[in-house]
Amino acid sequence: MQDESVYYDPYDFEIDANPYPVWRRLRDSAPLYYNEKYDFYALSRFEDVEKALTDFGTYTSGKGFILEVIKAGIRLPPGNLLAEDPPLHDIHRGLLSRVFTPRKMAALEPQVRELCARILDELVGTDGFDFVADLGAIVPMRVIGMMLGIPESDQVVIRDAGTRRHQLTEGEAPAPTDARSTAQPFADYIDWRATHPSDDLMTELLRAEFEDETGTTRRLTRDEVLTYTSVLAGAGNETTRRLIGWTGQLLGEHPDQCRELAADRSNVPQAIEEVLRFESPSPVQGRVVSRDVEHHGGTIPEGSAVILLNASANRDERHYTDPDTFDIHRRIDRHLAFGHGLHFCLGASLARMEGRVVLDEVLKRWSSWEVDRDNSVLDHTSTTRGWMNLPVVTS
């Protein structure tokens, strides 16, 4: 039986401000949790979440990966990888995997480092800066904009529109946005690139040939390219933005570890992995079960919506020692910040590289900083969790 005293609501801002105590209670007392108000189940333990993410035949994505989209029964257009099952998912992922290779991501690093250095050099000598407004909201936007071929003058408008689409009103599930309308701002760029090709991802998508699910060799339709571009722009901005914000907060509040990193920056990649584990930017993944599933003496009925709490799994004491302690020296065998299995984040290597370069360049200039919590603002969205503003005082 479920412990009736445990309550988890993904649209409750008070819970979202610090969900870890609630998630610990779920893991301990309600590892299979059911929320009657919004009619969803939730899995919170590492073992359960990892297995569910791997079992794509049972925990399906074809009806959406966001709870409100699943409950509304909205069918997302082809090209949204996170909301697709095989064989369509495999075809579309195969197209993008040609672009997001470790070699290509490594080739971007000098440009990302130059961008970070240019931003940070202007902040040296000031009393401080905002880890999100001055870094987290800018670096990923510039990088994904550069990859897609979107002019810098238009990137801010597109980024902010994407952010607003997922912001929540406290205490209520949002109305899902029409995916086709969210892709529309990219239409003019795609039409231009169709007749003015360049060395960017949009041009690659327009030119790519592949074999679709019917066995026909073809190119992507205009609508498919629109969807791809919209998904990449959103994912490329939001998750890395959160990662950079959490990095600033956690190291600002652990000054000894921050100073240690500044003295030996070879540990920066390991520190970024601990940030990802400790504060996962994308903390929940929605699924629909294709059959009845047994968990901890209960049953998830076929067709039910399930939330996989990967951020809770990353704090599960059954898998990690002392998981609520932030430790840049932690040896992490694996974490679920980027998902697992079929839908493992294609942009994980890009996000890791950006997070690593940003932190490395910050530590070249400052060995520690103090977070101004009084003026920090947490952003509440249905897809990510992180800071909207995180001002710091540098020393």
Side-chain angles (χ1 to χ4, degrees):
M1 294 291 291
Q2 178 172 302
D3 183 345
E4 296 300 326
S5 68
V6 182
Y7 180 71
Y8 170 60
D9 182 341
Y11 308 118
D12 185 313
F13 285 13
E14 185 175 347
I15 293 175
D16 192 51
N18 180 20
Y20 298 104
V22 172
W23 287 345
R24 175 183 281 273
R25 293 190 66 197
L26 289 183
R27 294 194 302 269
D28 290 344
S29 303
L32 174 59
Y33 173 75
Y34 177 68
N35 180 295
E36 185 174 358
K37 179 179 179 180
Y38 296 110
D39 186 27
F40 71 85
Y41 291 82
L43 296 175
S44 51
R45 291 183 180 177
F46 187 97
E47 183 179 12
D48 293 332
V49 174
E50 184 181 46
K51 286 181 178 178
L53 287 169
T54 304
D55 186 1
F56 59 86
T58 301
Y59 297 87
T60 65
S61 302
K63 294 183 179 179
F65 63 98
I66 302 172
L67 180 61
E68 56 266 25
V69 171
I70 293 171
K71 301 306 295 183
I74 293 174
R75 187 71 178 178
L76 297 177
N80 193 322
L81 299 181
L82 294 174
E84 291 181 341
D85 296 314
L88 203 57
H89 169 273
D90 298 345
I91 293 167
H92 290 155
R93 187 179 178 96
L95 274 170
L96 283 186
S97 65
R98 304 176 193 176
V99 178
F100 284 91
T101 64
R103 181 179 60 82
K104 289 186 177 181
M105 295 306 100
L108 281 173
E109 182 168 332
Q111 298 172 68
V112 176
R113 193 170 291 278
E114 180 184 359
L115 170 63
C116 291
R118 189 167 67 247
I119 292 170
L120 292 170
D121 283 345
E122 294 181 0
L123 300 171
V124 172
T126 64
D127 294 332
F129 61 93
D130 192 308
F131 245 93
V132 178
D134 295 327
L135 275 176
I138 294 178
V139 174
M141 175 189 68
R142 293 279 185 256
V143 173
I144 200 67
M146 173 181 64
M147 291 177 67
L148 287 169
I150 298 170
E152 284 193 11
S153 58
D154 298 337
Q155 290 172 6
V156 173
V157 173
I158 290 173
R159 179 203 64 197
D160 291 348
T163 299
R164 286 194 299 272
R165 279 197 298 273
H166 298 294
Q167 284 179 324
L168 299 175
T169 299
E170 185 168 12
E172 61 184 67
T177 306
D178 182 359
R180 289 173 177 81
S181 67
T182 64
Q184 200 56 40
F186 301 97
D188 289 343
Y189 305 122
I190 290 169
D191 292 341
W192 171 261
R193 279 286 172 255
T195 54
H196 300 80
S198 183
D199 182 22
D200 57 38
L201 180 51
M202 210 177 293
T203 301
E204 287 195 47
L205 290 173
L206 286 164
R207 289 177 166 177
E209 290 191 350
F210 68 103
E211 186 177 298
D212 68 15
E213 67 276 16
T214 69
T216 303
T217 298
R218 65 177 180 87
R219 290 185 176 182
L220 293 168
T221 66
R222 179 178 179 274
D223 284 348
E224 286 172 329
V225 176
L226 264 174
T227 301
Y228 266 118
T229 304
S230 174
V231 169
L232 290 172
N237 270 305
E238 289 302 307
T239 305
T240 310
R241 175 183 185 173
R242 310 304 186 193
L243 169 59
I244 293 170
W246 288 124
T247 301
Q249 183 233 309
L250 289 169
L251 288 173
E253 295 180 351
H254 295 82
D256 291 347
Q257 295 190 57
C258 190
R259 283 190 285 268
E260 185 181 343
L261 273 178
D264 180 6
R265 299 200 307 277
S266 65
N267 287 326
V268 163
Q270 187 170 323
I272 291 297
E273 293 306 307
E274 176 67 347
V275 173
L276 287 164
R277 181 200 71 84
F278 196 82
E279 289 286 8
S280 302
S282 180
V284 301
Q285 314 298 321
R287 297 289 189 270
V288 173
V289 292
S290 62
R291 60 178 178 83
D292 288 358
V293 187
E294 302 293 325
H295 279 284
H296 305 286
T299 302
I300 306 177
E302 177 184 346
S304 298
V306 182
I307 287 181
L308 305 177
L309 297 169
N310 52 298
S312 169
N314 283 338
R315 296 275 196 106
D316 188 354
E317 62 279 3
R318 296 160 189 80
H319 188 83
Y320 301 100
T321 302
D322 197 15
D324 291 325
T325 296
F326 177 74
D327 180 7
I328 61 171
H329 298 293
R330 184 185 300 274
R331 298 294 178 183
I332 303 172
D333 59 342
R334 63 194 185 281
H335 60 67
L336 305 177
F338 291 117
H340 188 63
L342 187 76
H343 288 285
F344 182 79
C345 177
L346 261 177
S349 58
L350 177 61
R352 283 178 161 125
M353 181 269 284
E354 290 182 71
R356 173 174 54 80
V357 170
V358 166
L359 179 54
D360 190 58
E361 290 296 325
V362 169
L363 292 172
K364 283 182 182 179
R365 294 160 177 82
W366 299 280
S367 61
S368 64
W369 51 88
E370 183 179 344
V371 176
D372 179 4
R373 274 298 192 116
D374 290 340
N375 293 299
S376 299
V377 180
L378 193 68
D379 199 10
H380 300 277
T381 82
S382 56
T383 55
T384 59
R385 179 175 173 271
W387 296 102
M388 181 183 296
N389 290 98
L390 189 83
V392 301
V393 179
T394 53
S395 55

